[in-house]
Amino acid sequence: RIEEMAMMGLRLTAGIARADIERIAGKPLEETLDKRYLDLMVRSGDLLVDADGVRATASGRARLNAILPKLLA
């Protein structure tokens, strides 16, 4: 279910709310997604993570097919 949420939610400009991730996965965003890869994607400018949640930038949305499998690993 978290896979579906990530695949759909990151394609939207609003992204995925932390509360939704924690409700579905039962743990925080940083423990649900691959933390090292998440940090790498934030540094590269493809993802944004803040107090609200995680969302893809325009460049990240263009690369989501490559990003998602590693993020969900």
Side-chain angles (χ1 to χ4, degrees):
R1 181 141 159 141
I2 192 67
E3 292 85 2
E4 292 173 10
M5 177 185 282
M7 285 189 270
M8 299 302 291
L10 289 176
R11 295 187 192 286
L12 304 174
T13 55
I16 309 168
R18 281 184 181 272
D20 291 339
I21 290 172
E22 291 178 14
R23 180 176 45 81
I24 301 278
K27 53 188 175 181
L29 179 148
E30 288 83 358
E31 293 177 24
T32 302
L33 303 176
D34 184 296
K35 174 80 167 108
R36 288 177 43 188
Y37 193 70
L38 181 63
D39 290 343
L40 177 65
M41 291 297 95
V42 168
R43 285 193 309 275
S44 72
D46 289 321
L47 296 178
L48 298 171
V49 177
D50 58 21
D52 295 326
V54 60
R55 60 191 174 280
T57 63
S59 64
R61 283 191 301 279
R63 299 187 34 193
L64 272 179
N65 288 342
I67 292 171
L68 283 169
K70 295 175 185 172
L71 193 62
L72 295 167

